[in-house]
Amino acid sequence: MLLDSDAESDVAYELCQVVGRAILPYRSSGDFGTAFFFQGGDDPAGESLLTAADLVVGSGGELGLRASVTEPAGVAPAVIAEAEIVPGWARFAGDGVAVLPTAGLHRYAGDGGWRWRVQPVPAGIAAGPEVVARLGADASSAFVLAHGVREDGSRPLEVAIERVVRDGDAVLITTELPPGYVGAPVFIVQAEPTGGVAPYCLGLVLPGVGAHPVATFDRIRAVLPATPGDI
């Protein structure tokens, strides 16, 4: 669905309110990206951190923390080295996705005397195959929530309003995104049979030149762990 500019602004604002605290800045081997929390079901144990597999290479990766995603204030560190988190990332290069069960992140926080205060993307809005199938060659509005990279090195939360299309089996954001956006969640809205519209998390941004493939949630769900820590 292609929205007018006012409706796009309204959707972008609402997404920031609902899932803004799902999003974290990520950096590995000099590459900047974004990761996000996803809640796979009603069981808290089904929570994972997701990003693009191409970001999770080598060692030295780290997650950045905003003050709004932890409590109490002033206790959590500014960054978490991924080497300190067990279990760590599992890479699924064929699907473009990396998955980190968050049990280790919660243990790390507890050991440090703080806790997470996040808003995971809920399973109920993860796009199923039928949502992906409704996309076509005509552009739809897409909303990418990411931590960009400013000239001073800061990583603010941003929303890019873009266009997404489906070309055969490929789903693409039609423009090249700024540094820091790889791994970020992509949202769309679609019309419902009742006459309203509903938001969906389409998937996550993969690396690209001129355009970006999207790893859609039908691919992501196929690699999520059935139980915490089983990857």
Side-chain angles (χ1 to χ4, degrees):
M1 174 179 286
L2 186 62
L3 304 176
D4 63 37
S5 59
D6 288 342
E8 286 180 333
S9 296
D10 290 343
V11 170
Y13 175 81
E14 289 300 323
L15 286 171
C16 287
Q17 302 309 303
V18 174
V19 295
R21 286 190 281 112
I23 319 297
L24 297 179
Y26 182 72
R27 185 178 72 173
S28 179
S29 302
D31 291 328
F32 294 94
T34 296
F36 66 99
F37 284 83
F38 173 67
Q39 181 63 54
D42 294 334
D43 185 349
E47 185 184 74
S48 299
L49 195 69
L50 306 177
T51 194
D54 283 4
L55 291 176
V56 183
V57 293
S59 58
E62 61 183 27
L63 290 167
L65 301 183
R66 309 195 316 272
S68 61
V69 303
T70 69
E71 56 185 9
V75 179
V79 297
I80 299 176
E82 66 182 15
E84 300 183 64
I85 305 303
V86 178
W89 290 103
R91 294 181 71 250
F92 300 91
D95 297 288
V97 178
V99 180
L100 177 69
T102 58
L105 290 175
H106 289 288
R107 283 195 297 269
Y108 180 89
D111 290 346
W114 56 277
R115 57 189 174 271
W116 292 95
R117 182 174 173 265
V118 296
Q119 301 163 296
V121 173
I125 69 168
E130 72 287 350
V131 172
V132 177
R134 287 196 291 266
L135 295 171
D138 293 333
S140 295
S141 299
F143 307 85
V144 185
L145 272 65
H147 283 275
V149 184
R150 297 283 174 88
E151 290 184 1
D152 62 1
S154 61
R155 303 286 314 273
L157 180 64
E158 303 172 348
V159 183
I161 301 175
E162 303 293 348
R163 301 291 179 260
V164 65
V165 299
R166 182 165 61 90
D167 182 8
D169 292 334
V171 175
L172 301 169
I173 293 174
T174 58
T175 56
E176 189 164 349
L177 293 166
Y181 278 64
V182 170
V186 182
F187 298 86
I188 59 172
V189 295
Q190 288 190 348
E192 294 292 282
T194 57
V197 297
Y200 293 96
C201 186
L202 184 60
L204 61 82
V205 177
L206 297 180
V209 177
H212 288 271
V214 176
T216 52
F217 251 105
D218 50 351
R219 294 165 60 182
I220 294 171
R221 284 187 181 279
V223 300
L224 290 177
T227 58
D230 70 352
I231 56 175

